[in-house]
Amino acid sequence: MDYKEHTAIDAVLASFADTPDPRLREVVGAVARHLHALVQELRPTMAEWESAIAFLTAVGRMCDDSRQEFVLLSDVFGVSMLVETINGEAHGTEGTVLGPFHMTESPRRELGDSIDEVGTGAPCVITGTVTDLEGVPVPGAVVDVWQCDENGFYDVQQPGVQPAGNGRGLFRTDDEGGFWFRTVVPSHYPIPIDGPVGRLLQASRRHPYRPAHVHLIADAPGFTPLTTHMFVADSPYLDSDAVFAVKQSLVRDFAESADPDEAARYGVAVPFRRAHFPIRLVPAGKSS
């Protein structure tokens, strides 16, 4: 009774006091305290609060099987990378955000296969290794990769243009922990701006661009799964990624090669670009 500004948070916390799960009780309590503090700081009008609710409603309505606007919202506020950083593993390859385009299963492919099913971009060969923290190879590790094309679009963004699964592949490392595949050099690109998150960036005069990169998830029994990127060294926006995901250790030189013997060995034409990405996994349960 008599819900007042100075007693509001106590009443709300009391209503959640009997939550049986201790972690859930901690989470809802923290959310309530911070949300009440934010409202008391900003003192929104009813029209402003209704606008905030409408914004979140619009974010939800933009979500479907190929688009996750709430992930995008988390990304542009730097929260996705903050959670990733808090949960980062010591001494292993640094992690980054999952991003909003891991919304479809990558096709299983053999080592050396091309994930480019269109064949219009500059050819590229990516090699890599998966090891433990001591450099011991991890054979049979699963490496899931996905990327945009040379024009900056993912397959799920162009269902009538790109075949489903273009730019994606699920590989297993060989006995030496190695993996490799053929692709095209990805482009920098804007995150989707046709929804409420895009309108927020426009109102804030923030650019929506991400530097060129390839996404990877590496997983193996006994290890903590790793979600990361490899960034193209000469890409624009490395210093101002719209989702704050660039880490210097993940930037790789995509060097051009005109060696016909090397090209023949990898099954590509000259000139082509080549990059190498070593992945170090942390044993499951090891403290960061």
Side-chain angles (χ1 to χ4, degrees):
M1 295 178 63
D2 295 327
Y3 191 84
K4 303 292 185 182
E5 181 177 338
H6 68 280
T7 62
I9 186 58
D10 293 333
V12 173
L13 292 177
S15 75
F16 286 111
D18 293 332
T19 303
D21 185 287
R23 179 59 170 171
L24 178 59
R25 186 169 63 249
E26 178 185 17
V27 169
V28 295
V31 169
R33 287 193 302 273
H34 287 283
L35 185 56
H36 276 243
L38 177 64
V39 169
Q40 289 183 322
E41 176 186 346
L42 295 178
R43 310 194 74 79
T45 65
M46 288 302 299
E48 288 173 333
W49 186 246
E50 289 168 1
S51 178
I53 297 297
F55 174 79
L56 293 176
T57 301
V59 169
R61 286 175 175 164
M62 285 296 294
C63 297
D64 56 30
D65 290 341
S66 60
R67 172 89 171 252
Q68 232 306 343
E69 194 79 357
F70 270 111
V71 171
L72 202 61
L73 182 61
S74 172
D75 288 347
V76 301
F77 272 97
V79 177
S80 299
M81 268 307 299
L82 180 58
V83 173
E84 184 68 46
T85 301
I86 288 171
N87 288 277
E89 299 292 341
H91 312 302
T93 298
E94 291 191 281
T96 57
V97 297
L98 180 67
F101 294 116
H102 193 253
M103 302 295 293
T104 184
E105 186 175 352
S106 297
R108 293 186 178 275
R109 303 188 192 270
E110 299 299 321
L111 295 179
D113 281 354
S114 177
I115 65 173
D116 170 34
E117 299 180 7
V118 179
T120 57
C124 177
V125 174
I126 292 178
T127 60
T129 55
V130 179
T131 69
D132 66 11
L133 296 181
E134 305 302 321
V136 177
V138 180
V142 175
V143 181
D144 187 1
V145 301
W146 69 103
Q147 64 169 81
C148 69
D149 66 8
E150 71 276 12
N151 297 312
F153 293 101
Y154 289 83
D155 58 342
V156 294
Q157 294 177 290
Q158 295 184 308
V161 178
Q162 297 187 47
N166 185 53
R168 301 177 188 269
L170 199 65
F171 299 92
R172 282 194 178 272
T173 58
D174 60 23
D175 291 342
E176 285 73 47
F179 65 93
W180 75 281
F181 57 93
R182 291 170 291 152
T183 183
V184 295
V185 180
S187 173
H188 62 281
Y189 63 86
I191 61 175
I193 58 172
D194 58 338
V197 173
R199 292 192 291 274
L200 174 64
L201 292 185
Q202 291 168 352
S204 306
R205 295 188 179 180
R206 278 184 55 185
H207 78 71
Y209 285 93
R210 301 215 58 210
H213 59 273
V214 177
H215 295 263
L216 304 97
I217 297 177
D219 193 11
F223 293 90
T224 300
L226 171 73
T227 300
T228 191
H229 295 13
M230 58 183 303
F231 291 94
V232 180
D234 57 358
S235 175
Y237 303 106
L238 282 172
D239 59 349
S240 60
D241 183 4
V243 305
F244 310 98
V246 176
K247 296 185 178 181
Q248 188 62 46
S249 68
L250 305 179
V251 178
R252 288 291 180 273
D253 184 21
F254 280 60
E256 185 172 274
S257 173
D259 185 336
D261 294 333
E262 187 177 37
R265 186 163 66 252
Y266 287 121
V268 295
V270 292
F272 68 99
R273 304 275 290 274
R274 182 178 175 185
H276 182 73
F277 193 67
I279 295 173
R280 289 161 55 88
L281 294 181
V282 175
K286 183 178 178 63
S287 176
S288 60

